[in-house]
Amino acid sequence: MNADLASWRDGAARSAIVDFVRRVTTDGSDDYVDPVDRVAVADNDGTLWTEKPMQIEIGFILQRLAAMAEQDPDLRAKQPWKAASAEDYAWLGGAITKHYGGDDSDLKVLMGGFVRAFAGMSAEDYLAASGEYLRNGSHPTLGRGFRQCAFGPMVELLRYLEAHGFTLYVASGGDRDFIRAISDEAYGIPSERVIGSSNALAYQEDEHGASVVYQAQPDVFDDGPVKAVRIWSRIGRRPILSVGNANGDIPMLEFTGGPSLPALRLVVLHDDEEREFAYTDGADELLDRASDKGWTVISVRNDWTTVF
Amino acid sequence: MNADLASWRDGAARSAIVDFVRRVTTDGSDDYVDPVDRVAVADNDGTLWTEKPMQIEIGFILQRLAAMAEQDPDLRAKQPWKAASAEDYAWLGGAITKHYGGDDSDLKVLMGGFVRAFAGMSAEDYLAASGEYLRNGSHPTLGRGFRQCAFGPMVELLRYLEAHGFTLYVASGGDRDFIRAISDEAYGIPSERVIGSSNALAYQEDEHGASVVYQAQPDVFDDGPVKAVRIWSRIGRRPILSVGNANGDIPMLEFTGGPSLPALRLVVLHDDEEREFAYTDGADELLDRASDKGWTVISVRNDWTTVF
């Protein structure tokens, strides 16, 4: 992958990126930033890879829930096992859509199934299972493997930033260890630089010493204000560049820069029904704020010559 | 700082380290480990720097509590403000000692003051205040600045590991952002590789966008089983080398290696009353386990030609 933004059309978004990178890397510039502080954070679902018709992680959870329901007929009568067994993607996708609309009821039911789905599994087994799902599965409508669902221009942006001394992090509302299974291969971002949601882990001694094992309860839902808090907790620095696509990314974008560092805030607008998907649900507040504050909006349709 | 363990005497500890590093870095060796998985974690207080007569962080909290009590006479009648105002180090050090003996009562009182001491402060202001304390203060009995309280042979070990492709993390029960203020300078470990305890942070929008601000409540106490969980959460890999000095480090040491990677577990034994301190309180279970499992014990008195 080259580092020259080859898939980005000339335009406001590309110019904003190139100009910002030039300013923070030019010695003597008022906006010069030491390499150690050149931190960039990117949301995952809908920012680094596609999140429609439903987040890829949901398919992984579904597969596991369906396998559980196969073993236990009682579960097949209950959500979310019922939807999983029936491949009722409308119910499942709807849980997420409703969440972004402010109604968490189905998401809570889904998460209730999720926390039970992986309870008792070691973190390493979960990582391996995620990796297997991602290697073997493919997107339901785009006709490509999951590992090819990353947005090519975003990966180019990551390489471009890296070539200019930036350190890259994923900061996702999605599950941290699920993303870790793909982040290095898809984005060149190693597991220690993936920040995300997680179920609770517990320490268990075993024949090898000890392991950490998933519990049937949530721990962190890394979205909204929590994203900013966890970026600090994990990095101990503010990002100077951030990119997101949903209302839950607003705090991450607001936290960028701060009193002493410059900031570039990027928002991915999904407006390309032909090549990807066109939607603004769950992004209304973000797009309003981007407009109010002059944040840079990336149009999938206009700014990218290719999407994948 | 050189990378040749110059301050380590020939002996079992030095040999165990050199032998392990040789095995995991020799291509074709059964124990060869890819550089990406060469993760080393080190406890901080009593492992990377001295923790007696009380943990250095406690002095920072004390100073802040005394300043609060100065402003508010009612606080001067209550612990821990009372001890802070009276410079009653015995009470304060005792809170930690009792904790390691299984009695958390005074530690909870101390932590109650701690969470109030920094409530409302942004994470960056707290980091700056910690840095100022560490730059200006000095150890009460050793006659050296706080920044010179790191153990020289341990810093040599860090450089030695780094020279052999290891990535180094601090994994401490102490406060994460306090350690971040000194970790790069003292240990060459940047803030993003410091794992530790923390009070709760909240997101607040402000004139620069937003900040994260300490709340008057604890979040994570990164000791015991939590250490192993948080090492996974932060890194997404097991360490292959770990070093600690207290019972709270046992889970971190047990979590090292695991089913598929080799492990070196190191335990610092404080047995040098002349050059540092001699104590095993809070380390009894760890020393028993080290003996049972053949973990490598580092004797300050015998294994190090210099301490600081």
Side-chain angles (χ1 to χ4, degrees), chain A residues 36 123-124 127 169 176-177 180 190-194 198 201-203 205-206 208-212 214 225-226 228-229 232-238 250-252 254-259 265 289 293, chain B residues 36 123-124 127 169 176-177 180 190-194 198 201-203 205-206 208-212 214 225-226 228-229 232-238 250-252 254-259 265 289 293:
Chain A
V36 76
E124 281 140 326
L127 194 61
Y169 290 83
R176 180 192 65 216
D177 286 347
R180 281 174 166 168
S191 67
E192 58 270 28
R193 290 198 257 113
V194 174
S198 178
L201 286 163
Y203 172 81
E205 298 207 349
D206 61 26
H208 306 292
S211 292
V212 293
Y214 278 108
V226 177
V229 168
W232 177 269
S233 300
R234 288 284 295 274
I235 309 178
R237 309 176 199 277
R238 285 176 188 254
I250 291 173
M252 172 179 79
E254 289 286 13
F255 186 58
T256 303
R265 299 167 172 100
R289 191 165 308 208
K293 296 207 164 185
Chain B
V36 76
E124 281 140 326
L127 195 60
Y169 290 82
R176 180 193 65 217
D177 287 348
R180 280 173 167 169
S191 65
E192 59 269 28
R193 289 198 258 114
V194 175
S198 178
L201 285 163
Y203 171 80
E205 298 206 349
D206 59 27
H208 306 292
S211 293
V212 293
Y214 277 107
V226 177
V229 168
W232 178 269
S233 299
R234 289 283 297 276
I235 309 177
R237 308 178 199 277
R238 285 177 189 253
I250 291 172
M252 171 178 81
E254 290 284 15
F255 186 58
T256 303
R265 300 168 172 100
R289 191 164 307 206
K293 295 207 164 185

Side-chain angles (χ1 to χ4, degrees), chain A residues 11-294:
Chain A
R14 189 182 198 283
S15 295
I17 293 165
V18 170
D19 177 62
F20 179 77
V21 168
R22 187 186 47 72
R23 286 189 287 121
V24 301
T25 57
T26 302
D27 228 340
S29 149
D30 283 350
D31 285 340
Y32 179 79
V33 175
D34 279 333
V36 76
D37 284 317
R38 289 181 206 156
V39 171
V41 294
D43 171 59
N44 187 41
D45 292 302
T47 298
L48 291 179
W49 72 359
T50 194
E51 64 179 344
K52 295 289 178 184
M54 66 177 184
Q55 293 175 358
I56 292 170
E57 178 190 344
I58 307 295
F60 175 58
I61 302 169
L62 271 183
Q63 189 187 63
R64 176 88 178 169
L65 293 173
M68 289 172 80
E70 186 78 21
Q71 300 295 316
D72 180 353
D74 288 351
L75 288 177
R76 282 203 289 279
K78 289 172 61 176
Q79 293 294 22
W81 291 272
K82 186 178 168 186
S85 298
E87 300 191 6
D88 180 359
Y89 295 104
W91 185 88
L92 291 144
I96 306 293
T97 308
K98 282 166 74 174
H99 157 69
Y100 282 118
D103 173 2
D104 271 355
S105 56
D106 284 354
L107 184 68
K108 281 185 179 156
V109 172
L110 181 60
M111 295 307 285
F114 182 17
V115 296
R116 281 189 53 189
F118 300 104
M121 194 179 265
S122 77
E124 281 140 326
D125 287 348
Y126 175 84
L127 194 61
S130 303
E132 196 182 328
Y133 179 79
L134 289 163
R135 270 191 304 280
N136 297 330
S138 59
H139 189 278
T141 66
L142 292 171
R144 53 178 57 246
F146 289 135
R147 294 184 297 173
Q148 282 77 47
C149 283
F151 301 129
M154 290 305 295
V155 177
E156 281 180 9
L157 175 61
L158 298 177
R159 292 293 82 73
Y160 178 73
L161 294 172
E162 202 166 58
H164 288 87
F166 281 72
T167 303
L168 314 170
Y169 290 83
V170 176
S172 172
D175 185 76
R176 180 192 65 216
D177 286 347
F178 183 76
I179 300 166
R180 281 174 166 168
I182 187 88
S183 63
D184 198 19
E185 180 180 326
Y187 313 134
I189 297 179
S191 67
E192 58 270 28
R193 290 198 257 113
V194 174
I195 309 169
S197 298
S198 178
N199 289 336
L201 286 163
Y203 172 81
Q204 278 182 10
E205 298 207 349
D206 61 26
E207 72 275 24
H208 306 292
S211 292
V212 293
V213 174
Y214 278 108
Q215 304 298 290
Q217 59 186 69
D219 183 9
V220 180
F221 184 43
D222 189 36
D223 197 41
V226 177
K227 271 202 184 186
V229 168
R230 280 173 65 79
I231 285 169
W232 177 269
S233 300
R234 288 284 295 274
I235 309 178
R237 309 176 199 277
R238 285 176 188 254
I240 63 167
L241 186 150
S242 56
V243 50
N245 78 304
N247 297 338
D249 296 318
I250 291 173
M252 172 179 79
L253 295 163
E254 289 286 13
F255 186 58
T256 303
S260 60
L261 292 169
L264 181 65
R265 299 167 172 100
L266 302 170
V267 174
V268 177
L269 173 65
H270 292 275
D271 57 359
D272 193 329
E273 202 157 13
E274 208 167 303
R275 298 185 300 175
E276 197 229 358
F277 300 96
Y279 61 100
T280 57
D281 52 302
D284 48 344
E285 290 170 40
L286 172 63
L287 293 166
D288 286 349
R289 191 165 308 208
S291 170
D292 289 350
K293 296 207 164 185

Side-chain angles (χ1 to χ4, degrees), chain B residues 78-132:
Chain B
K78 290 171 62 176
Q79 292 294 21
W81 291 272
K82 186 177 166 186
S85 299
E87 302 191 5
D88 179 359
Y89 296 104
W91 185 87
L92 292 144
I96 306 294
T97 308
K98 282 167 74 174
H99 157 69
Y100 282 118
D103 173 2
D104 272 354
S105 56
D106 284 352
L107 184 69
K108 281 186 180 156
V109 172
L110 180 62
M111 295 307 285
F114 182 17
V115 297
R116 281 189 55 190
F118 301 104
M121 195 180 264
S122 77
E124 281 140 326
D125 287 347
Y126 176 83
L127 195 60
S130 303
E132 197 182 327

Side-chain angles (χ1 to χ4, degrees), chain B residues 2-75:
Chain B
N2 57 32
D4 62 357
L5 302 179
S7 308
W8 291 70
R9 288 205 186 90
D10 282 336
R14 189 183 198 285
S15 295
I17 293 166
V18 171
D19 177 63
F20 180 76
V21 169
R22 187 187 48 72
R23 286 189 287 123
V24 301
T25 57
T26 302
D27 228 340
S29 148
D30 283 349
D31 285 339
Y32 179 79
V33 175
D34 279 334
V36 76
D37 283 318
R38 290 182 206 156
V39 171
V41 294
D43 171 59
N44 187 41
D45 293 301
T47 298
L48 291 180
W49 73 359
T50 194
E51 65 179 342
K52 294 291 176 183
M54 65 177 184
Q55 293 176 359
I56 291 170
E57 178 191 344
I58 307 295
F60 175 57
I61 302 169
L62 270 183
Q63 187 186 66
R64 175 90 178 169
L65 293 173
M68 290 172 80
E70 186 79 19
Q71 300 294 317
D72 180 353
D74 287 353
L75 288 178

Side-chain angles (χ1 to χ4, degrees), chain B residues 218-302:
Chain B
D219 183 10
V220 180
F221 184 44
D222 189 37
D223 198 42
V226 177
K227 271 203 184 186
V229 168
R230 281 173 65 81
I231 286 169
W232 178 269
S233 299
R234 289 283 297 276
I235 309 177
R237 308 178 199 277
R238 285 177 189 253
I240 63 167
L241 185 150
S242 57
V243 51
N245 78 304
N247 297 338
D249 296 319
I250 291 172
M252 171 178 81
L253 295 162
E254 290 284 15
F255 186 58
T256 303
S260 61
L261 292 169
L264 181 64
R265 300 168 172 100
L266 302 170
V267 174
V268 177
L269 172 65
H270 293 275
D271 57 358
D272 192 329
E273 202 158 10
E274 206 167 306
R275 298 186 300 175
E276 198 230 359
F277 301 96
Y279 60 99
T280 56
D281 52 301
D284 48 342
E285 288 170 42
L286 172 62
L287 292 166
D288 285 350
R289 191 164 307 206
S291 169
D292 287 351
K293 295 207 164 185
W295 296 349
T296 299
V297 175
I298 298 164
S299 157
V300 171
R301 188 178 51 201
N302 300 323

